[in-house]
Amino acid sequence: MVGGGGAALTGLVFVAMSQHLSDIVSDPTHRHRARTILTALTAVFVRCGLVLMGGQTTRAVGVEIFVVLVGVELVVFRSLNEALRASGAAQPGVLFRSLNEALRGSGPAQHGVLFRTLGYGACLIIEQVGAAILFFGRAWGLYAVGVGMMASFLFIVSGAWLLLVGVDESPARRPTP
C-alpha cells in the first residue's frame, strides 16, 4: 500500500514539477527541494519493493533498507550542499549556524524549516534503527521502519506542496505592474 502510494505520488509530483520546470531549474532552493522530494518518494517505492521480495531473511531486508536509506541521505546532503554553494552561503559551519539561528528566531517560517529538517531526519533515523534491528534478527524492527516511512510522508508531501507554492510565487511568474 505504501509503495503504491509512493509510486503514485512520485508520478503526480513529477508532472506538477514538469509544468514549472524553468522556475525550478533557475532557483537553487527549488532544485534542491525538487531533487530531494523525488528521491524521497522514489526511495519509499524502492524500499517497499525490496521488502516484498520473497524468500529473504530479516538480515537481508535490514541490509537492503539500510543501504537505500544511506543513499537517500547522501543525495539529500549533496543536494543541500549544492544549494548552499549556489546561494553563496557555503562556508564552514553554515548548517549549524543556520540551525542555531532558526532555534533563536521568532518567525514561524524559521521554526517551520527547523521542524521539517529535523523531522524528516528523525524519520530516516527511525527507519535505520528499525533496519538494524531487522539485521540482528528481530522482525519487529519492520514496525519501526514502517512508522518512520509513513511519518516521512508528512514531510515529503508538505515539501512538495511548499515547492509548488514557492514556484508559483517566484518572481518570474509574478505579473509586472
Side-chain angles (χ1 to χ4, degrees), residues 58-126:
T58 56
R59 180 168 278 196
V61 172
V63 168
E64 292 166 354
I65 292 171
F66 199 88
V67 167
V68 171
L69 289 169
V70 167
V72 169
E73 290 164 348
L74 288 173
V75 168
V76 169
F77 177 75
R78 288 189 65 194
S79 180
L80 178 61
N81 191 35
E82 181 183 310
L84 290 171
R85 249 194 335 256
S87 70
Q91 307 163 5
V94 72
L95 185 57
F96 293 112
R97 278 198 309 276
S98 298
L99 288 174
N100 186 33
E101 288 172 10
L103 281 171
R104 289 186 297 153
S106 58
Q110 292 169 323
H111 289 119
V113 168
L114 181 64
F115 173 74
R116 286 183 38 71
T117 302
L118 295 178
Y120 184 64
C123 291
L124 293 177
I125 290 169
I126 289 168

Side-chain angles (χ1 to χ4, degrees), residues 25-170:
V25 170
S26 66
D27 184 297
T29 303
H30 293 332
R31 274 195 318 265
H32 163 66
R33 186 167 273 161
R35 186 180 303 121
T36 57
I37 289 166
L38 287 175
T39 299
L41 286 170
T42 303
V44 166
F45 173 73
V46 168
R47 292 191 307 274
C48 289
L50 289 170
V51 168
L52 288 176
M53 290 192 315
Q56 298 185 92
T57 64
T58 56
R59 180 168 278 196
V61 172
V63 168
E64 292 166 354
I65 292 171
F66 199 88
V67 167
V68 171
L69 289 169
V70 167
V72 169
E73 290 164 348
L74 288 173
V75 168
V76 169
F77 177 75
R78 288 189 65 194
S79 180
L80 178 61
N81 191 35
E82 181 183 310
L84 290 171
R85 249 194 335 256
S87 70
Q91 307 163 5
V94 72
L95 185 57
F96 293 112
R97 278 198 309 276
S98 298
L99 288 174
N100 186 33
E101 288 172 10
L103 281 171
R104 289 186 297 153
S106 58
Q110 292 169 323
H111 289 119
V113 168
L114 181 64
F115 173 74
R116 286 183 38 71
T117 302
L118 295 178
Y120 184 64
C123 291
L124 293 177
I125 290 169
I126 289 168
E127 283 189 73
Q128 284 179 311
V129 168
I133 292 168
L134 277 170
F135 180 80
F136 290 110
R138 303 290 184 201
W140 63 267
L142 196 55
Y143 289 106
V145 170
V147 166
M149 186 182 301
M150 289 186 280
S152 71
F153 261 87
L154 299 172
F155 299 101
I156 297 167
V157 171
S158 67
W161 174 254
L162 291 173
L163 171 65
L164 295 176
V165 168
V167 166
D168 199 50
E169 293 176 353
S170 69

